[in-house]
Amino acid sequence: MRPFSEAELLAAYAVADRTRPHLRANMIASIDGAATHQGLSGGLNNPADKQVFDLLRRLADVVLVGAGTLRAEGYGGLRVDEEDVAWRRAHGLPDHPVLAIVSSRLALEPSSPLFTEAPRRPLLFTHEQSPQRQRAALGEVADVVVCGHDAVDPAGVVAELVVRGMPQMLCEGGPHLLGTLAGVLDELCLTVSPLLEGGGAVRILRDAPLAHQPMRLAGVLRAEDMLFLRYLS
Ligand SMILES: NC(=O)c1ccc[n+]([C@@H]2O[C@H](COP(=O)([O-])OP(=O)(O)OC[C@H]3O[C@@H](n4cnc5c(N)ncnc54)[C@H](OP(=O)(O)O)[C@@H]3O)[C@@H](O)[C@H]2O)c1
């Protein structure tokens, strides 16, 4: 059972001009602001959220993910389903978006399905101080982009993706990466999950260098008790 029609989601989330650079993030939180349940975001979502999550991937040229989320959530090769492939082909897009990873320590295995099962060669953003040997090893399976001195520079990431012809950028978190990107974010899609989580879970933004950034509510969808909010910078 799909709570939303395809037309409804496209009307809510498709951008008017795909050539215009747009960095969108998609995150989920409980009513009390928890970004995880027992260490993962999976305990917060439901089929309606999965539908929005998949639709946002369908619309993306590139999906940016922090290494912490890849490790915690066990991401494999980034692949959209057949229906999304058909839509993308009909709109002149490559079958799948590119996965762009952000990492400092580069504690990722080149033999991971992230790389070996990727339909498109992933990008890996890192900085000058990251381990050289690991960088060379990962360079066999991904395009490594050095961007920043001792941390990955968010504006540099956006500029690089635009130059590479990927202006529709989707960040799927996690909280540390979103904190890094907060200053260059154009849109935040936030699912509010009808749960009081309690405990010490992280929020969707961690270690953000700026605070109190105003955003404008641009859309609201509802599926039973779940809310889907679109905020623009
Ligand atoms: N609620 C949601 O919507 C949502 C979404 C995604 C994830 N999550 C949850 O969030 C948790 C993970 O949190 P997290 O904050 O650790 O996730 P994260 O942001 O995906 O990963 C943090 C790691 O990403 C790398 N990184 C991020 N920004 C960087 C920068 N500017 N420069 C260099 N490296 C950078 C570093 O990788 P290295 O460690 O490799 O150096 C850093 O340790 C998991 O429990 C996951 O389930 C929730």
Side-chain angles (χ1 to χ4, degrees):
M1 159 70 183
R2 291 181 166 189
F4 298 114
S5 71
E6 182 185 53
E8 191 176 5
L9 289 188
L10 286 170
Y13 292 104
V15 296
D17 178 2
R18 288 192 60 90
T19 65
R20 194 163 157 212
H22 189 80
L23 174 59
R24 163 186 272 172
N26 182 31
M27 302 292 286
I28 187 166
S30 68
I31 306 169
D32 58 324
T36 58
H37 168 71
Q38 295 179 345
L40 293 175
S41 58
L44 303 176
N45 63 12
N46 71 2
D49 179 65
K50 175 79 169 79
Q51 227 192 320
V52 172
F53 182 90
D54 288 345
L55 190 280
L56 293 179
R57 275 194 175 180
R58 175 199 286 196
L59 296 173
D61 295 321
V62 58
V63 178
L64 266 168
V65 188
T69 295
L70 296 176
R71 289 188 288 258
E73 305 269 350
Y75 270 57
L78 192 101
R79 193 175 279 280
V80 298
D81 71 17
E82 282 176 18
E83 206 179 317
D84 295 321
V85 168
W87 187 92
R88 290 175 62 92
R89 283 186 186 165
H91 290 79
L93 302 176
D95 286 2
H96 303 278
V98 168
L99 172 67
I101 302 163
V102 179
S103 176
S104 182
R105 295 179 294 133
L106 301 181
L108 297 162
E109 285 303 322
S111 60
S112 153
L114 265 182
F115 303 109
T116 58
E117 292 173 11
R120 297 179 70 191
R121 188 174 165 88
L123 278 167
L124 176 57
F125 284 98
T126 190
H127 54 76
E128 290 164 16
Q129 305 295 314
S130 68
Q132 291 281 357
R133 186 177 295 181
Q134 194 60 4
R135 207 192 293 174
L138 290 166
E140 298 290 324
V141 292
D143 282 1
V144 177
V145 183
V146 177
C147 181
H149 179 63
D150 54 6
V152 172
D153 166 40
V157 170
V158 168
E160 181 69 25
L161 292 174
V162 171
V163 164
R164 286 175 179 253
M166 294 182 258
Q168 297 304 310
M169 300 162 272
L170 172 66
C171 173
E172 293 182 353
H176 182 101
L177 178 58
L178 191 63
T180 295
L181 295 175
V184 294
L185 205 60
D186 298 301
E187 175 178 345
L188 174 63
C189 299
L190 176 66
T191 302
V192 180
S193 179
L195 290 160
L196 285 175
E197 183 60 26
V202 292
R203 292 153 55 200
I204 60 165
L205 225 71
R206 197 160 89 185
D207 305 329
L210 78 168
H212 222 63
Q213 176 178 326
M215 298 193 86
R216 183 167 58 82
L217 184 64
V220 181
L221 292 179
R222 178 182 172 176
E224 297 184 338
D225 295 322
M226 195 84 121
L227 283 180
F228 299 85
L229 309 176
R230 269 186 73 223
Y231 284 96
L232 297 175
S233 294

